[in-house]
Amino acid sequence: MQPTELPKELAARRIDRPVPLREHVYQAMQELIISRRLAPGQHLVESELAQMLGVSRQPVREALQWLNNEGWVDLRPGYGAFVHQPTPDEADQLLAVRSLLESESARLAATQADEEGIARLRDLNKQGFEALAADDVDTAVALNAAVHRCVTELSGNKVLLDFATQVDRRVRWYYTPIARQRGKQSWQEHAKLIDAIENRDAEAAARIMQEHTERTRKSYLEQRDADGEQEQQLIELPTRRRRRSSPAKG
Amino acid sequence: MQPTELPKELAARRIDRPVPLREHVYQAMQELIISRRLAPGQHLVESELAQMLGVSRQPVREALQWLNNEGWVDLRPGYGAFVHQPTPDEADQLLAVRSLLESESARLAATQADEEGIARLRDLNKQGFEALAADDVDTAVALNAAVHRCVTELSGNKVLLDFATQVDRRVRWYYTPIARQRGKQSWQEHAKLIDAIENRDAEAAARIMQEHTERTRKSYLEQRDADGEQEQQLIELPTRRRRRSSPAKG
DNA sequence: TTCTAGTCGACTGCCTACAGCATACAGTCC
DNA sequence: GGACTGTATGCTGTAGGCAGTCGACTAGAA
C-alpha cells in the first residue's frame, strides 16, 4: 500500500523525539477526523493506520484511546475503533453544557479574577477586534477560543477548566463553521462580559456569558437547518475485506 | 517476586475471557487506589503491576490510560504513571461542578422526564428510606448514587450525563465517608425534588438539587476540618530502586 | 566537604509476533 | 433453492523483547 502524504512528515518528526510517537499519531488522526477525511462511522483498522503513519500498532492503539476519551472515536472492545458519528442532537447538547460551564466560569471569574487576568482578557479582546478589522478570520476564531478559555481559567476552578476544555474541543468539530461567521457582535459581548468581571458583578457576568453562548447555540441551529453537509474527499483505507460493523446483538 | 493475593483471582477470571484483561486490571487498580492501598503520589511501575496482576505490560498500560482519563492516576510522558494526589481544593471544586451539573440536570428532568422515569425515581427513593430504616448504609449509599444518576439520565442530555458520571466517580473518592453520614434529611430532599419534577417545576427542581448538593459540599468541608486522614496499610511495590519523582523542571 | 564526571541500571516507549475470535465465502445436505 | 457447516482470513488482544533515556550512585578533583 502506498502511504498518503503523512508518513514522511512523521518520519521527519521521528528524528527529534522527546515527544512520543503516539502524540503525533493522535494529532494526525484528529486532523483527519476534523477535516472529515476519515468518515464518521468509519472503522479504523489499527494495522492500516499504523502502516499509513509509518509506526507500529502500539502507538496507534494508545492514540485511539485518547481520541476515544475526547469523543473523536468510539471504541467497541473486540471490534476496534470507529470514527464518532456527530449528530445534531449531540451538538446541541454539547453547546448546552458549554453554556452552563462557561456561565458558571464567568460567575466565578467575577469574584476570583486578579488584575493581571482581567488585563489579559482585555488584551485578547482587543486583538480580536483587530483581527476582525483585518478580516483575519482564522486568528479571530483562535482568539475567540482564547478569550473563553481565559475566563474559565480565571474562575480558579481547575475541574471546571478541565471539563470546559473537553467540551470546547468537541464542540469545535461542529462549531468551527459558525464561529467563522459570528462577527463584531460577539466581540462586543465579550467586552461587556469583561466589564462585568472587572466590576465584580458575578450575576451580570454569568448572565452575559449565558446569553452569549446561547446565541452561539442558536446560530448553530439556524445554520444547520440552512445548509446541508458539504461532501468531503475521504481517505479510502485500503483493505480487501472489512468487517461490516459491530457484532449482531444478542 | 511473590505476587499479592490478586493474581489467582485474575488467573481464574482469565479462563472465561470474553472481557479483555485490561478491564480486570482497571478494576483491580481502581479498587487499590480507592482503598488507598496504593498511596497518592506513588509511582506505578508498569512491570511491577504486570507481575503483580499476572499479565503483561500491555494491558496494564491500557488500564493506566483509562485510569488517567478518569482522574485516578496522572501520566507523565516518559516518566510513567503516578497515583493522583487528591487535594481538599480539588474535592471542593469537584463538588461545586457536581452541584452545577446536577442542578441543571434536575431543571431539564422537570421538563423532559416521562412517567416511567418519575416512577423509577420514586421507587429508588422508597428503597432508600427502607435501607435507611434497616441501617443498611452500603445500600443506602448506592441508592443515593442511583437517584442522582437517574435524575441526570432523565435530563435527556447525554453529554451532561457523561460529565456528571465522571465527576461522580471522582467525587466518591473523597466523598464516600460523608455520604455514609447524611441520613434521613437527604432522602426527604430527594422526595421534594421528585415532587418538583413531577409538577414540571423546572426552577424549583434546580433549586432543590442545588441546595441539596451544596449541603453535601458543606458537610464535606466540615468533616474535613473535623478529622484528619486516617492511615491505611499501603501496598509496598517491591523494587530495588525507585525514581524519586518527576524530572527536575527546566 | 562539595562539586563534577562517569557508570550502572531501572523504566518507558516501541516493535514484532502469536493466539483466538469473528466474519465472509464456498461447498454440502435437506 | 435455502439453510447449514467447514475453511480461510482479517483484526484485535496480549506477550515478550529491545533500545534509548533518565535517575541514582560512586569516585575523583577542587
Side-chain angles (χ1 to χ4, degrees), chain B residues 228-245:
Chain B
E229 288 291 318
Q230 71 275 30
E231 285 307 309
Q232 197 82 20
Q233 184 190 353
L234 301 179
I235 287 188
E236 193 55 43
L237 287 178
T239 12
R240 281 181 287 272
R241 239 188 283 177
R242 177 171 303 280
R243 282 187 189 153
R244 252 210 294 259
S245 63

Side-chain angles (χ1 to χ4, degrees), chain B residues 14 17 20-22 55-59 79 241 244 247:
Chain B
R14 203 171 166 176
R17 152 173 79 134
L21 286 182
R22 58 160 183 256
V55 300
S56 80
R57 275 177 56 212
Q58 177 83 5
Y79 296 89
R241 239 188 283 177
R244 252 210 294 259

Side-chain angles (χ1 to χ4, degrees), chain A residues 191-203:
Chain A
K192 272 191 217 155
L193 172 68
I194 299 171
D195 288 343
I197 291 174
E198 189 158 32
N199 294 333
R200 307 300 179 190
D201 187 344
E203 290 316 311

Side-chain angles (χ1 to χ4, degrees), chain B residues 160-205:
Chain B
L160 199 55
L161 176 61
D162 262 20
F163 282 104
T165 307
Q166 277 186 55
V167 173
D168 210 53
R169 255 194 304 251
R170 287 179 59 185
V171 135
R172 216 165 306 159
W173 191 356
Y174 306 91
Y175 162 72
T176 309
I178 7 156
R180 303 179 78 83
Q181 298 198 346
R182 293 202 58 208
K184 203 165 180 182
Q185 189 195 1
S186 182
W187 295 94
Q188 287 167 342
E189 289 167 10
H190 287 169
K192 273 189 216 155
L193 172 69
I194 299 171
D195 288 343
I197 291 174
E198 189 158 32
N199 295 332
R200 307 300 180 190
D201 188 343
E203 290 316 310

Side-chain angles (χ1 to χ4, degrees), chain B residues 28-150:
Chain B
M29 292 199 54
Q30 196 188 40
E31 259 177 61
L32 291 177
I33 293 174
I34 294 177
S35 67
R36 312 259 172 163
R37 293 203 288 158
L38 292 172
Q42 180 170 359
H43 184 192
L44 299 173
V45 178
E46 295 170 2
S47 53
E48 292 173 10
L49 293 169
Q51 205 170 359
M52 181 170 91
L53 300 172
V55 300
S56 80
R57 275 177 56 212
Q58 177 83 5
V60 171
R61 279 179 75 85
E62 301 195 0
L64 285 173
Q65 296 236 358
W66 275 102
L67 292 163
N68 174 61
N69 310 339
E70 299 187 352
W72 299 108
V73 312
D74 301 318
L75 292 181
R76 302 181 215 172
Y79 296 89
F82 299 80
V83 179
H84 181 70
Q85 290 263 16
T87 66
D89 258 15
E90 190 191 52
D92 194 48
Q93 293 178 357
L94 274 168
L95 289 167
V97 172
R98 189 176 94 121
S99 181
L100 182 68
L101 295 176
E102 298 213 350
S103 57
E104 181 70 9
S105 296
R107 187 197 314 279
L108 291 171
T111 63
Q112 301 291 326
D114 54 2
E115 291 308 314
E116 187 267 332
I118 294 172
R120 194 145 43 95
L121 272 178
R122 286 230 179 275
D123 184 50
L124 285 171
N125 211 43
K126 181 161 150 275
Q127 290 181 50
F129 273 115
E130 289 166 6
L132 202 68
D135 254 342
D136 183 349
V137 183
D138 287 329
T139 306
V141 169
L143 283 167
N144 178 59
V147 168
H148 282 258
R149 186 185 173 82
C150 187

Side-chain angles (χ1 to χ4, degrees), chain A residues 4-249:
Chain A
T4 47
E5 75 268 41
L6 288 146
K8 298 133 206 164
E9 179 193 346
L10 266 177
R13 277 174 172 170
R14 204 170 166 176
I15 295 168
D16 51 85
R17 148 172 84 131
V19 181
L21 286 182
R22 57 161 185 257
E23 295 275 328
H24 298 308
V25 175
Y26 168 80
Q27 292 201 352
M29 292 199 54
Q30 195 187 42
E31 260 177 60
L32 291 176
I33 292 173
I34 295 177
S35 67
R36 311 259 172 165
R37 293 203 290 157
L38 292 172
Q42 181 170 358
H43 184 192
L44 299 173
V45 177
E46 294 170 3
S47 53
E48 293 173 10
L49 293 169
Q51 204 170 357
M52 182 170 90
L53 301 172
V55 300
S56 81
R57 277 176 55 212
Q58 175 90 1
V60 171
R61 278 179 77 84
E62 300 193 359
L64 285 173
Q65 295 235 2
W66 274 101
L67 291 163
N68 175 61
N69 310 338
E70 299 186 351
W72 300 109
V73 311
D74 301 318
L75 292 180
R76 300 181 216 172
Y79 297 89
F82 298 79
V83 179
H84 181 71
Q85 291 262 16
T87 65
D89 257 15
E90 190 191 52
D92 193 47
Q93 293 178 358
L94 274 167
L95 289 167
V97 171
R98 189 177 93 119
S99 182
L100 181 68
L101 295 176
E102 298 213 350
S103 57
E104 180 71 9
S105 296
R107 186 196 315 279
L108 292 172
T111 62
Q112 301 292 325
D114 53 2
E115 291 308 314
E116 187 266 330
I118 294 171
R120 194 145 43 97
L121 272 178
R122 287 228 180 276
D123 184 49
L124 285 170
N125 212 41
K126 180 159 151 276
Q127 289 181 49
F129 273 114
E130 288 166 5
L132 203 68
D135 254 342
D136 184 350
V137 183
D138 287 329
T139 306
V141 169
L143 282 166
N144 179 60
V147 168
H148 282 259
R149 187 185 173 80
C150 186
V151 172
T152 312
E153 282 170 0
L154 292 177
S155 76
N157 186 325
K158 238 180 91 37
V159 176
L160 200 55
L161 176 61
D162 260 21
F163 282 101
T165 306
Q166 277 186 56
V167 174
D168 211 53
R169 255 194 304 254
R170 286 178 61 183
V171 134
R172 217 166 303 162
W173 191 356
Y174 306 90
Y175 162 72
T176 309
I178 10 159
R180 302 179 78 82
Q181 298 197 346
R182 292 202 60 205
K184 202 166 179 181
Q185 190 195 358
S186 182
W187 295 94
Q188 288 168 341
E189 288 167 9
H190 288 170
K192 272 191 217 155
L193 172 68
I194 299 171
D195 288 343
I197 291 174
E198 189 158 32
N199 294 333
R200 307 300 179 190
D201 187 344
E203 290 316 311
R207 185 173 37 75
I208 292 169
M209 182 61 107
Q210 200 200 337
E211 289 166 1
H212 178 63
T213 49
E214 284 293 336
R215 213 160 352 249
T216 304
R217 187 175 164 198
K218 215 178 287 174
S219 299
Y220 168 75
L221 290 175
E222 285 164 7
Q223 171 134 354
R224 168 159 70 81
D225 296 340
D227 57 25
E229 287 291 316
Q230 70 275 29
E231 287 306 311
Q232 197 83 20
Q233 184 191 353
L234 301 179
I235 288 187
E236 192 54 43
L237 287 178
T239 13
R240 281 180 287 274
R241 242 188 281 176
R242 178 172 301 281
R243 282 184 186 156
R244 253 210 295 261
S245 64
S246 65
K249 263 279 181 71

